[in-house]
Amino acid sequence: MNVTAHSAAPVDRAAADRAAAETAPAGPALSHSISLWFGENARDLPWRRDGFSAWGTLVSEFMLQQTPVNRVIPRLDEWLERWPAPKDLASVPPGEAVRAWASLGYPRRALWLHAAAVQITERHGGIVPEDVDDLLALTGIGDYTARAVAAFAYGHRHPVVDTNTRRVIARAVAGQAEPAPPSRGRDLEAMSALLPAESAAAAVFNAAIMELGAIVCTSRSPRCAACPIQDACSWRAAGYPAYDGPKKAVQKKFEGSDRQVRGLIMAELRATHHPVSDAEIEGLWPDAVQRSRALAGLLADGLAVTIEPGMYALSQG
């Protein structure tokens, strides 16, 4: 999940209070304070409003991967107005999903979401499943997204761990400036130790700790003076030591990368409803080898198709 993916069920003050009551005092006092803070400070986001659908939650989770919240919200509104249920998206060619994805980036997510919509329509009668294993069986859905949908859309008790969650736990519990590289077992165990026992309270806390990491305990400029757990934070108590543990690989710069070239070609394909020629693609990027590699990758990923030699279009299924 992206560092900006902060999904949650509608903010429920009673559930937040229950989460606080269940988890005080001692170590779980972190949960107590974070849930109370969230009840007063949660941002008004579409997926936190009453009546937001499980399908809307699933779409938002796909969009929030690698994409900031402020870019997702307008696109999410457009998608749910156009395709308010899985069957609606499943009824159009996958290329339409890619076209509507527009500038969200990583357009394979649009293909995966379309495939998931088809599977939900065919296997589950058009209803987004609530069981984690059923969700994991859908195209493009990993452990985080499956747990997020089960917890936030259906209220089931699952630890939900994203980058923000991992950073808060690393600092507050482990006393580290940064989390170690992701480890499913270790991360879920650490979150489970803080999770309230009651399902609604657990959903609130899952959202609350993500929110804290997103807007207070940020990666580069944490606002420790505004943090509700500053007095219980192990990292603060240790004097904010620098992190010297293992780190995950850093993504290459976007400028000049194959990702940039792929994006240019995809933008050209989305901008028109007729096939795009080799000559038009040649004008997008000067490096012929890199341009050919990017185009070949799009064809291999199913994002683009060859209509005839030298002519390309978005995938039509």
Side-chain angles (χ1 to χ4, degrees):
M1 152 126 191
N2 175 356
V3 297
T4 54
H6 328 301
S7 295
V11 178
D12 183 339
R13 274 308 307 274
D17 290 342
R18 288 196 300 275
E22 283 186 25
T23 55
L30 293 175
S31 310
H32 166 89
S33 299
I34 293 170
S35 292
L36 287 180
W37 169 86
F38 184 69
E40 298 291 341
N41 295 279
R43 290 171 294 172
D44 179 20
L45 299 174
W47 44 89
R48 291 181 178 160
R49 295 172 188 161
D50 289 331
F52 197 74
S53 68
W55 169 241
T57 299
L58 181 61
V59 173
S60 72
E61 290 295 347
F62 267 82
M63 290 186 169
L64 285 162
Q65 297 167 20
Q66 307 296 328
T67 307
V69 169
N70 61 354
R71 286 177 55 201
V72 164
I73 290 176
R75 192 68 61 208
L76 176 64
D77 290 341
E78 292 171 5
W79 267 63
L80 294 181
E81 182 175 352
R82 183 175 180 183
W83 298 307
K87 64 180 178 60
D88 301 310
L89 180 58
S91 69
V92 303
E96 288 303 302
V98 175
R99 194 185 307 280
W101 200 255
S103 61
L104 286 175
Y106 298 92
R108 274 176 289 187
R109 291 180 293 164
L111 283 183
W112 295 338
L113 182 54
H114 183 275
V118 171
Q119 293 159 356
I120 291 168
T121 302
E122 294 177 349
R123 300 176 189 170
H124 303 283
I127 304 299
V128 175
E130 57 185 283
D131 179 76
V132 168
D133 288 338
D134 287 340
L135 287 160
L136 285 170
L138 301 175
T139 297
I141 294 186
D143 192 64
Y144 165 80
T145 301
R147 290 171 177 274
V149 172
F152 298 140
Y154 291 110
H156 297 308
R157 184 184 181 274
H158 295 287
V160 182
V161 179
D162 77 342
T163 301
N164 292 308
T165 301
R166 294 176 61 248
R167 185 170 55 255
V168 173
I169 293 175
R171 289 174 176 170
V173 178
Q176 300 177 170
E178 301 175 24
S183 165
R184 180 182 181 276
R186 183 182 63 239
D187 294 339
L188 290 176
E189 182 179 358
M191 183 59 176
S192 295
L194 299 173
L195 200 65
E198 195 266 328
S199 295
V204 168
F205 177 64
N206 273 316
I209 193 169
M210 288 184 196
E211 185 82 333
L212 185 67
I215 66 176
V216 175
C217 192
T218 56
S219 178
R220 292 195 175 130
S221 301
R223 299 190 298 116
C224 297
C227 181
I229 57 171
Q230 57 180 286
D231 293 336
C233 177
S234 296
W235 186 48
R236 180 174 182 264
Y240 304 109
Y243 180 69
D244 59 2
K247 296 186 178 184
K248 66 178 182 180
V250 177
Q251 189 177 54
K252 295 179 180 179
K253 290 183 178 179
F254 178 74
E255 292 299 324
S257 68
D258 284 5
R259 288 192 298 124
Q260 183 181 14
V261 185
R262 284 168 60 102
L264 292 171
I265 298 173
M266 285 299 298
E268 188 73 14
L269 294 173
R270 282 195 301 263
T272 179
H273 285 272
H274 61 74
V276 174
S277 68
D278 272 332
E280 291 171 298
I281 292 175
E282 286 173 8
L284 299 175
W285 193 255
D287 186 329
V289 173
Q290 190 176 25
R291 189 177 61 240
S292 296
R293 185 168 62 241
L295 177 59
L298 293 173
L299 293 169
D301 290 340
L303 289 164
V305 294
T306 302
I307 301 300
E308 58 182 72
M311 302 295 289
Y312 311 96
L314 292 176
S315 172
Q316 296 302 306

